[in-house]
Amino acid sequence: MTSHLLTSLLQTFTYPSSADPQYQIQWTRFGPQDAQPLIFVHGTPWSSRLWAPSALALSRKYSVYLFDNPGYGQSRFLTPTSTAEFANNGPLTKQAEITAALFRHWNFKGVPHVVAHDNAGLVILRTILQHGCVYKSLTLIDVVAVGPWGLPFFKLVAENEDVFKAIPAGMFDGIVRSYIRDAAYKPLRKEDEDMLAEPWVSGDGRPGQEGLVHVLKQASMRVSEDVEVEYHKVGESGLPVRIIWGKQDKWVPYERAEKLKNLIGAKSEVVLVEDAGHLIQLDQPERLIAEIVTFLAEVDAIS
């Protein structure tokens, strides 16, 4: 089976599962079915495809799960109500609710490891503190989980929502690609840039231009103060936490990593990766995979 087919999101989860579902989440699982579960969670404005190479690398040992968050990649809003609800949910409480429901749906055979990037950090921390999710370990990579919040671009989009929705497709494509390139420290390969931009510019029924405007508007309203004061409970629970950061991350400076470590009470030191920006998966893929493998092996060895 080819790597692309393995990481294709061919399974569907709708939420809620009642007669009036609002969200459709596409997901997949691969690797040994009875192995320790390992979940990779993406952030904004990415999709599960950013995690595919890392997931494949670990799938010989782990039962790996990938999914696209609501409104990203192949996952869709099913009603105008869910679209509006998402666009105005800056704290990501709805996304955490849906993510926790998805994890319960998977009915793991063991307690899963979780690897989270960008605002998935806030989402996963909410699933622990507000939805009772239990994990074997938590790896937080260049996460958005503590203030201060927001890039100036997010505010610009939020204040000019209709303008950004009306920008001609060719011009919007250029804006999206410039925005994506800014997240990397090294020049992106064209195929990687195309992969990251495709859901927002392809015009094939995926989130598209309006979807990205919703995502960035939501990001402009991000808040976490309500849950930051609870982060210490994660450390006190004994959950092994590893924080990994690209030292050249312009979007979320590495000083936030130390702030997050202190709020959680994480026992291990922050791992700073040189020559890596916010897109550490593309800037330093081998180093990142090595760090994840090392941490998971440490946790597995003592449990």
Side-chain angles (χ1 to χ4, degrees), residues 84-285:
E85 180 179 55
F86 174 86
N88 291 289
N89 188 231
L92 296 175
T93 50
K94 175 56 67 172
Q95 193 161 315
E97 175 189 327
I98 297 167
T99 301
L102 175 65
F103 291 178
R104 289 193 296 270
H105 170 74
W106 284 338
N107 193 24
F108 303 110
K109 292 185 178 180
V111 182
H113 293 289
V114 174
V115 178
H117 177 245
D118 194 85
N119 64 20
L122 176 56
V123 171
I124 294 300
L125 288 165
R126 285 194 184 279
T127 67
I128 296 170
L129 295 166
Q130 298 173 339
H131 297 279
C133 290
V134 177
Y135 306 125
K136 189 169 184 179
S137 74
L138 178 57
T139 306
L140 300 172
I141 301 170
D142 291 82
V143 295
V144 178
V146 295
W149 290 100
L151 296 172
F153 182 55
F154 297 165
K155 184 177 181 181
L156 179 67
V157 172
E159 292 175 348
N160 299 275
E161 182 178 354
D162 291 338
V163 174
F164 276 88
K165 288 180 180 178
I167 291 174
M171 293 177 61
F172 191 77
D173 183 287
I175 292 171
V176 170
R177 291 175 183 277
S178 177
Y179 168 56
I180 288 170
R181 286 194 293 268
D182 189 58
Y185 176 69
K186 299 179 180 179
L188 289 174
R189 298 185 307 166
K190 185 179 186 303
E191 54 264 42
D192 290 330
E193 182 180 309
D194 289 345
M195 175 268 292
L196 296 172
E198 185 180 23
W200 311 114
V201 302
S202 63
D204 63 355
R206 280 179 282 187
Q209 183 166 337
E210 185 169 332
L212 183 58
V213 172
H214 288 153
V215 163
L216 299 182
K217 176 185 176 183
Q218 183 206 69
S220 76
M221 299 183 287
R222 192 80 69 236
V223 291
S224 59
E225 289 86 352
D226 65 307
V227 75
E228 282 184 37
V229 295
E230 304 291 323
Y231 284 172
H232 66 93
K233 296 179 180 178
V234 176
E236 291 166 1
S237 73
L239 173 68
V241 177
R242 178 66 49 87
I243 300 173
I244 304 172
W245 223 268
K247 191 170 183 181
Q248 285 75 30
D249 188 337
K250 293 187 294 182
W251 284 18
V252 191
Y254 69 84
E255 289 84 4
R256 307 273 179 87
E258 290 294 337
K259 180 179 179 181
L260 179 60
K261 174 183 179 293
N262 293 333
L263 286 172
I264 291 176
K267 294 179 174 59
S268 62
E269 294 300 312
V270 173
V271 176
L272 288 181
V273 178
E274 293 280 358
D275 298 329
H278 193 66
L279 284 174
I280 188 173
Q281 297 94 330
L282 302 179
D283 283 329
Q284 293 287 358

